[in-house]
Amino acid sequence: MKTVSTFLSLEAPGPRVRVWLDGAPLHLPRGANLAAALLGAGVNTFRGTACSGAPRAPYCMMGACFDCMIEVEGETRQACLLEVAEGMRLTRPGAPGDA
Amino acid sequence: MHETDLAVIGSGPAGMAAAAEAAGLGLRVALFDDQPRPGGQAYRDVDRVGPMRGAVLGPDFVEGRRLTAALDDPRISHLGGAGVWAIEPGFTICYSQAGEARLLRARRVLLATGALERPMPVPGWTLPGVMTAGAGQILLKQAGLVPRRSVLVGTGPLLYLFAVQMVRAGINPAALIETQTRGDLARALRHMGGLFGGWGYMTEGWRLLRVLQRAGVPRIVGAHEIAIEGEDRAEAVRFRRGGAQHRLPCDTVFLHHGVVPNPQAARSLGLDHRWEPRQQCFVPVCDAWGEAASAEGGVEGVFVAGDGAGIGGARAAELQGRLAALRIAEGLDRIGNEECDGRAKPLRRQLRRELAVRPFLDAAYPPFAEALRPDDTTMVCRCEEVTAGEIRRAAAQGCPGPNRLKGFLRAGMGPCQGRVCGLAVTQILAEATGQSPDETGYFHIRPPIKPLTLGALAALAETGEAAGTDKTAPGQGDAA
Ligand code: FES
């Protein structure tokens, strides 16, 4: 990701593992909350809505809003309920461009 | 099918305290949580927080370790990363964990599903970069992330706490844009009695405000006409104070105007709810132990504790969890009536003290009026992109309540099942039709209340598992 994160990490994160986002490699802290790790890596858009394609990103971080939905190994999941694991394949269907 | 005495749904302060108390009284407990690790939102992932983050978050946060430590009991099985998608009377808990659907039978159920942020539909609230203040706190608690350039918008002590945590982390928010007015504070002072009862909370509040003042964080009180601007993400907050328009550039906007009970599990069980005018939300009807009133033909043996039963905060939730556990243990003949009452007494005293400050807080920091009555173009249902105007038009065409709305619009039919917009939809319809919120009602919540993949369901069918059969479920699910 070329984008700079709008968040700053307080602590030096632990060991990172490689995951794939839309086919591109991304290094995220192992075991971290997936939605938080993506935001920390500068991923600002998680998906586009089905109705209008409007960009969305995590809103509640607690499993309520479903705006963090992302495809993990081809299955739609809420990123804020998952932990980062080595080799995860993530895709953002309908996410407009690279944001 | 595996069996347990008590299924606790949610491992925040209420759920953790209830599990520990019940286990201590000899009950086998299954503690479910959709998050992988215990803590709930108040103590999110508290066990993995290092000293630096602990210092930023403060002692009230790391205090949660007392509760997670108490889960280390052979009678408690903590089921993390487990989404409970249905609770069938009797009880069968249907949940998915690690991509598999599983069932567990329980004699009693305690709902400790906590709170959700009150919906705050303002123009632009769906843009990336806009989140709830609760979400911001979670990012800090769980990932040590601090926003570089943020604005906090709304009302309530949580905004002060979060802002102070950012100050401690070394990155001040650009401003607090607060919606309460000086008149609200004056009205709140009528609840002076509560003020004295909740003295600890008041001094804590003043301390937080002093930190913000010393750090030079601007506070704008009485803001209105709030809108978030941006093309593909949040770029600025526009608002008015008095006669003047202001625009504050930022990358991240945190919204908050209170929290409300998370209704999904309680509603899916058909528990009776009533409108609570002071907290401006629905609460399940429960007795002083948290046992849900069972309407005729309704389910029995369901308890609700913590914010899910009405907002009281983390410490009150813990006490309510213990009270419910006592009553459940009594009902299952683990303790006698007298012991139950005796143990409950000091808990009730503490609970009264914890709740004393609430009337003052509710009056001093009321919900933001414009977000309760969004203008016609503002989106209300984020999932299906339905505006307030569309909801009002449906009301004008004769739609009386949220469930009939589904015949007009798709509001509440998206993946979040109304978790985010439900209360706003009720309030907009109630105002448009001139009915009370009680008359207007709320979305019918039907299982599955958590996403359930067909694969998981198919795997369940293959094992021959169905509610009512007696086979052993694969994997974990048993307590002790
Ligand atoms: S951010 Fe709301 S469900 Fe994940």
Side-chain angles (χ1 to χ4, degrees):
Chain A
M1 294 289 105
K2 290 136 266 152
T3 338
V4 180
S5 175
T6 53
F7 290 87
L8 205 75
S9 186
L10 261 190
E11 298 155 14
R16 289 173 182 266
V17 292
R18 187 171 58 178
V19 306
W20 300 90
L21 178 66
D22 300 331
L26 194 63
H27 292 85
L28 301 179
R30 179 172 18 142
N33 179 285
L34 178 61
L38 289 170
L39 288 171
V43 176
N44 291 324
T45 300
F46 280 48
R47 66 188 189 98
T49 59
C51 313
S52 73
R56 291 288 169 85
Y59 173 72
C60 75
M61 285 300 293
M62 52 181 281
C65 74
F66 290 72
D67 270 330
C68 66
M69 282 194 297
I70 196 163
E71 275 186 17
V72 182
E73 317 297 344
E75 226 174 59
T76 305
R77 304 287 301 272
Q78 289 159 279
C80 71
L81 298 180
L82 296 176
E83 292 185 354
V84 173
E86 169 89 61
M88 273 182 155
R89 277 168 201 282
L90 313 171
T91 41
R92 298 177 294 171
D98 177 33
Chain B
M1 194 190 316
H2 281 250
E3 258 190 58
T4 193
D5 295 318
L6 171 63
V8 178
I9 320 296
S11 67
M16 291 192 291
E21 186 81 30
L25 297 171
L27 298 181
R28 295 168 305 157
V29 183
L31 177 57
F32 290 91
D33 199 358
D34 52 9
Q35 281 294 327
R37 290 156 210 278
Q41 310 313 329
Y43 306 122
R44 179 94 164 228
D45 218 349
V46 65
D47 290 333
R48 294 202 296 177
V49 163
M52 189 210 273
R53 221 186 289 166
V56 164
L57 293 164
D60 283 347
F61 177 70
V62 278
E63 148 83 5
R65 293 207 186 114
R66 184 174 46 78
L67 290 168
T68 54
L71 299 181
D72 187 16
D73 181 309
R75 291 195 187 83
I76 301 174
S77 92
H78 175 258
L79 300 160
V84 172
W85 45 268
I87 302 168
E88 292 172 8
F91 293 94
T92 304
I93 315 296
C94 313
Y95 64 104
S96 12
Q97 194 182 29
E100 264 181 55
R102 294 168 182 169
L103 306 176
L104 174 75
R105 208 192 314 260
R107 300 169 72 193
R108 295 287 185 276
V109 170
L110 172 65
L111 306 179
T113 49
L116 297 170
E117 294 262 353
R118 182 188 295 282
M120 195 164 162
V122 294
W125 73 310
T126 53
L127 287 168
V130 183
M131 339 181 129
T132 66
Q137 273 211 310
I138 288 165
L139 288 173
L140 185 56
K141 290 172 186 173
Q142 193 164 31
L145 292 179
V146 199
R148 290 175 197 268
R149 206 170 54 136
S150 68
V151 174
L152 279 60
V153 181
T155 191
L158 179 85
L159 288 184
Y160 304 149
L161 175 61
F162 184 32
V164 165
Q165 288 169 337
M166 283 193 237
V167 169
R168 287 197 207 122
I171 309 180
N172 293 2
L176 264 68
I177 302 174
E178 300 181 50
T179 55
Q180 81 280 1
T181 62
R182 310 226 176 264
D184 294 325
L185 184 63
R187 273 186 292 280
L189 289 173
R190 273 190 241 137
H191 302 277
M192 279 302 266
L195 259 178
F196 291 116
W199 193 246
Y201 283 104
M202 297 312 297
T203 49
E204 169 71 5
W206 280 314
R207 207 177 52 77
L208 294 175
L209 286 176
R210 258 212 330 273
V211 174
L212 294 180
Q213 197 178 20
R214 255 190 269 125
V217 177
R219 284 180 59 207
I220 295 108
V221 175
H224 55 107
E225 286 181 38
I226 294 170
I228 298 143
E229 295 183 341
E231 195 61 43
D232 287 328
R233 54 168 300 110
E235 287 162 21
V237 179
R238 196 163 34 76
F239 63 95
R240 195 178 274 281
R241 197 212 351 208
Q245 270 258 22
H246 303 266
R247 185 178 185 277
L248 214 60
C250 58
D251 308 312
T252 310
V253 180
F254 294 111
L255 300 177
H256 173 79
H257 65 153
V259 294
V260 296
N262 177 353
Q264 301 306 113
R267 289 272 181 191
S268 79
L269 275 161
L271 302 188
D272 273 344
H273 283 68
R274 65 177 171 80
W275 183 254
E276 219 292 312
R278 183 167 60 75
Q279 299 190 341
Q280 297 203 45
C281 59
F282 288 106
V283 294
V285 182
C286 297
D287 68 13
W289 301 95
E291 181 162 14
S294 65
E296 221 160 302
V299 281
E300 275 179 51
V302 178
F303 287 73
V304 191
D307 278 351
I311 304 306
R315 276 177 270 181
E318 187 183 332
L319 295 163
Q320 291 169 330
R322 292 193 200 285
L323 283 168
L326 285 174
R327 182 63 154 196
I328 289 165
E330 189 212 5
L332 295 176
D333 296 326
R334 296 297 168 133
I335 51 172
N337 189 273
E338 258 169 47
E339 185 181 354
C340 182
D341 285 343
R343 283 176 186 252
K345 223 179 199 166
L347 299 177
R348 289 202 194 287
R349 221 175 12 245
Q350 285 179 56
L351 184 60
R352 262 197 305 277
R353 231 178 353 222
E354 284 300 326
L355 296 178
V357 75
R358 290 284 149 185
F360 171 80
L361 292 179
D362 291 332
Y365 301 103
F368 178 39
E370 282 170 26
L372 298 182
R373 280 170 223 92
D375 65 28
D376 278 349
T377 56
T378 302
M379 204 176 290
V380 173
C381 168
R382 298 170 62 100
C383 294
E384 299 295 330
E385 309 194 72
V386 177
T387 63
E390 290 174 277
I391 296 172
R392 291 190 184 108
R393 263 196 302 283
Q397 286 164 20
C399 173
N403 295 300
R404 296 281 294 283
L405 192 61
K406 293 175 179 177
F408 291 80
L409 302 161
R410 287 192 47 85
M413 293 172 77
C416 99
Q417 299 181 307
R419 280 176 176 83
V420 178
C421 70
L423 204 53
V425 168
T426 291
Q427 285 184 287
I428 292 168
L429 282 174
E431 195 179 69
T433 59
Q435 291 177 302
S436 70
D438 274 323
E439 289 163 337
T440 306
Y442 191 82
F443 288 126
H444 283 312
I445 306 298
R446 294 204 179 83
I449 57 172
K450 285 284 157 81
L452 177 65
T453 61
L454 286 178
L457 205 54
L460 185 68
E462 249 164 55
T463 65
E465 275 287 346
T469 67
D470 224 355
K471 285 175 74 178
T472 304
Q476 42 184 322
D478 199 2

